[in-house]
Amino acid sequence: MNYDENNIFAKILRGEIPCKKIYEDEFVLSFHDINPQKKIHALVIPKGKFTDLDDFSLNASSDEIVGLIKGINLVAKKLGISTEVGKGYRALANISDHGGQEVPHLHFHLFGGERVGKMVE
Ligand code: AMP
């Protein structure tokens, strides 16, 4: 699937649409989900143009891959939910059609601040 330059997260990355920013570095941007499903519901996205986790796995550089995984921990720590400072959380990436992905720019959801519950409905 070709990357859609006009997806909503691409617009957020370009600063065309605002977001409630949590964290940003060279590799990732993190912001609060606009429609939170749990007390804490953050999104972590790579800055590169990747549609989903498979695209990222196949095409991202090693630095980008490390940057995203480390970024998830940094965001969780900042939100007080990582295991170093809190009680844990769920990281989830929906992938394409059967995964229920709506926005075609790779993102991890971080759910926490309370027990997250059943893994799959
Ligand atoms: P997914 O179904 O995994 O693609 O999830 C997309 C997520 O993006 C949903 O949880 C939406 O609530 C969230 N979302 C959509 N638009 C925005 C936005 N402008 N700012 C923050 N989150 C958004």
Side-chain angles (χ1 to χ4, degrees), residues 8-9 12 17-19 31-35 37 41 43 92-94 100-104 107 109:
I8 197 116
F9 294 168
I12 287 175
I17 293 181
C19 70
F31 46 93
H32 292 281
D33 196 289
I34 205 165
N35 182 24
Q37 303 297 309
H41 183 175
L43 299 170
L92 179 149
N94 294 320
Q101 183 177 4
E102 287 171 9
V103 179
H107 50 282
H109 298 257

Side-chain angles (χ1 to χ4, degrees), residues 65-83:
I65 292 172
V66 171
L68 177 59
I69 298 299
K70 293 273 186 195
I72 289 172
N73 169 257
L74 291 170
V75 170
K77 206 178 323 187
K78 196 159 182 193
L79 292 170
I81 59 176
S82 78
T83 53

